[in-house]
Amino acid sequence: MNRRYLTADLVWDGASFVPGLVLAIDAAGRIDSLGDPPPGAPVEQRRGQALLPGFVDVHSHAFQIGLRGRGETFPLEHGSFWTWREAMYELVGSLTPESLARLSRRTFREMRRAGITTVGEFHYVHHADAGAADFALDAAVIDAARQAGIRLVLLECYYRTGGPGRPLEGGQRRFDGISVERFLAHCEAIAAGLDPARESIGLAPHSLRAVEPGELAELAQVARQRGWPLHIHLEEQRREIEEVVAAWGRSPVELALETLADGTGLNATGIHLTHTDADRLFDLFARGWTAGLCPLTEGNLGDGIPALAEVPGRRRLALGSDSNLRISMLENLRGLEYGQRLRSERRGLLGERPALTLLDAATAGGAASLGIAAGRLVAGAPADLVAIDLGHPALREIPAGQLPEALVFGAPDEVVLATAVGGRFAEHRAPATE
Ligand SMILES: [Zn+2]
């Protein structure tokens, strides 16, 4: 059997950094085993480095990188999510398959340089123009991911209304899912053309502003049957909650839980959950949902801070870069933790060692949310890796036992030297020499 052997000074085993643990990687780019290689087998050494599972970004709208530097000037004190959305719609109006591909490529490449090896791309700009029904922009996202060499979970978005009971307007018509039946047929066609080694699909009913509960139930049913993940925006904005309560008499989370009452076998993730009260958050976690959190974007948009610290018991967390205004998993992790500390004026709310909770959310938690085997360095998982520069001034002289904390709370993205997807490394920068 054609295997290669790889090690580094330190290798993350899910709980701690282990010196010199050797990964055996098979010809398909999967981890075959961990431990001692056969005597005499050549072992590739990444000296002065630590290996972790590559980070998993569960929520991206890649094209929104085109808004970077825009939408940041405001009528004094009157900027909001909704004024930002106007800027975003302006960008949507100008998108072509070519510009969407270019922006997506830029995002995915920047993600890899930040240690991200999988993206869950929540893709909603489908059509070449308003009124078309060609899904012409979908292939551009897949091509961009291939060119960047990032693992892709295409979260194909179903969008039907411009608010409960309201038709799509203007540029929103480019998001149109048309009908559940037509949309699902399109998803099946996409799925058939994906490379199973590094691409998969999930269903993403946009939100309960844009999708009716009956449609959500139908999509969830198919997600369950096909083993596809289901992602939905939930309760990012108070106005969204007000609109859904006015139309359906329940908050979006209550409506989602009621609509998907039998959640058996469904892998569901709620994105944001910013204004979800603690009891409903508890219900979501109890039903096996993951919370997909995007602290850098939520902070930029002034969304708010979710009530995670108020929910006892086991939380399921994952991270997303969302608008891609800033792509940094390390900053996202500390943003999540610091938001909770600032909200509660306490520390240590996400675990006795929050750095471990956060690293788990950035790796195994994200992979679970996207329904893929990545996120852990175990036999059978893809060899998706991030190589960390232990000689970087930010990490120098840090003992292995404190490395998770030093990485999460004190390191810049420049510590990411390389990432591997399916065992193939891309070298992003040279080790620090200072
Ligand atoms: Zn989003």
Side-chain angles (χ1 to χ4, degrees):
M1 275 252 254
N2 195 4
R3 289 194 193 88
R4 55 188 251 260
Y5 299 91
L6 171 71
T7 191
D9 293 20
L10 298 170
V11 179
W12 182 247
D13 74 354
S16 60
F17 281 103
V18 180
L21 187 65
V22 177
L23 307 178
I25 299 173
D26 69 17
R30 275 188 305 265
I31 298 170
D32 183 73
S33 60
L34 294 94
D36 294 328
V43 178
E44 186 184 330
Q45 299 269 357
R46 294 195 69 98
R47 289 189 202 288
Q49 300 179 26
L51 289 176
L52 282 157
F55 298 141
V56 178
D57 183 326
V58 300
H59 190 74
S60 156
H61 308 290
F63 78 91
Q64 290 181 9
I65 198 171
L67 285 171
R68 195 177 277 175
R70 288 160 66 179
E72 294 290 343
T73 52
F74 311 104
L76 197 59
E77 295 179 10
H78 285 84
S80 70
F81 171 86
W82 306 99
T83 55
W84 170 84
R85 197 176 74 154
E86 286 311 308
M88 188 267 282
Y89 279 6
E90 221 178 275
L91 173 64
V92 164
S94 72
L95 284 177
T96 61
E98 294 71 33
S99 64
L100 182 91
R102 183 169 40 76
L103 291 168
S104 302
R105 217 162 39 231
R106 192 175 137 201
T107 295
F108 297 154
R109 286 186 174 144
E110 195 168 312
M111 283 178 174
R112 286 203 62 179
R113 291 174 60 81
I116 294 163
T117 52
T118 297
V119 60
E121 176 62 21
F122 196 114
H123 172 62
Y124 63 91
V125 189
H126 296 303
H127 308 305
D129 52 58
D134 52 16
F135 292 95
L137 275 65
D138 294 13
V141 174
I142 299 168
D143 282 349
R146 285 176 184 168
Q147 286 178 34
I150 199 165
R151 186 176 300 284
L152 172 70
V153 180
L154 182 68
L155 298 166
E156 189 67 357
C157 176
Y158 183 78
Y159 200 115
R160 228 12 225 128
T161 58
R166 289 204 304 273
L168 298 173
E169 287 174 1
Q172 285 178 337
R173 291 162 65 211
R174 298 184 76 180
F175 314 159
D176 194 354
I178 306 169
S179 70
V180 168
E181 195 185 6
R182 173 83 191 276
F183 173 78
L184 287 171
H186 170 66
C187 291
E188 292 288 355
I190 291 182
L194 295 177
D195 172 2
R198 53 210 274 166
E199 296 163 356
S200 55
I201 194 167
L203 299 182
H206 180 274
S207 60
L208 285 157
R209 276 192 291 121
V211 173
E212 298 212 339
E215 296 172 312
L216 172 61
E218 281 183 71
L219 294 168
Q221 177 65 13
V222 172
R224 194 157 43 180
Q225 282 165 358
R226 300 287 273 111
W228 292 345
L230 180 124
H231 281 217
I232 180 169
H233 293 109
L234 284 174
E235 306 194 348
E236 177 179 14
Q237 285 290 321
R238 294 185 192 278
R239 190 171 115 189
E240 166 201 343
I241 298 176
E242 286 159 15
E243 286 182 1
V244 171
V245 169
W248 300 101
R250 297 158 183 74
S251 77
V253 166
E254 287 167 342
L255 191 56
L257 284 171
E258 191 181 294
T259 305
L260 308 178
D262 176 16
T264 320
L266 181 68
N267 177 11
T269 296
I271 304 298
H272 300 305
L273 301 164
T274 311
H275 300 287
T276 306
D277 67 50
D279 288 345
R280 295 293 83 72
L281 258 185
F282 181 84
D283 291 345
L284 278 172
F285 289 131
R287 296 263 290 271
W289 283 61
T290 297
L293 307 161
C294 312
L296 290 175
T297 294
E298 289 151 3
N300 181 268
L301 293 177
D303 288 340
I305 298 171
L308 297 177
E310 291 160 39
V311 185
R314 184 159 162 69
R315 308 172 193 89
R316 297 164 63 98
L317 306 178
L319 276 297
S321 59
D322 198 359
S323 71
N324 296 304
L325 169 86
R326 169 76 176 132
I327 298 172
S328 170
M329 186 58 88
L330 294 175
E331 286 180 19
N332 234 1
L333 292 178
R334 64 187 74 113
L336 175 60
E337 175 69 17
Y338 290 166
Q340 296 301 311
R341 292 185 188 186
L342 291 165
R343 182 183 156 107
S344 62
E345 300 174 46
R346 289 162 61 202
R347 306 171 80 214
L349 294 154
L350 296 183
E352 284 176 15
R353 285 186 71 186
L356 301 191
T357 307
L358 294 163
L359 283 177
D360 188 67
T363 54
S369 159
L370 293 175
I372 56 172
R376 294 187 301 151
L377 303 186
V378 294
D384 290 4
L385 304 163
V386 52
I388 301 293
D389 183 5
L390 294 173
H392 189 281
L395 297 179
R396 222 172 270 167
E397 295 174 29
I398 303 283
Q402 292 164 23
L403 192 55
E405 283 77 11
L407 198 55
V408 168
F409 297 115
D413 290 325
E414 284 65 36
V415 301
V416 173
L417 292 182
T419 53
V421 175
R424 285 178 54 180
F425 273 102
E427 306 294 332
H428 303 306
R429 24 180 102 72
T433 51
E434 181 197 320

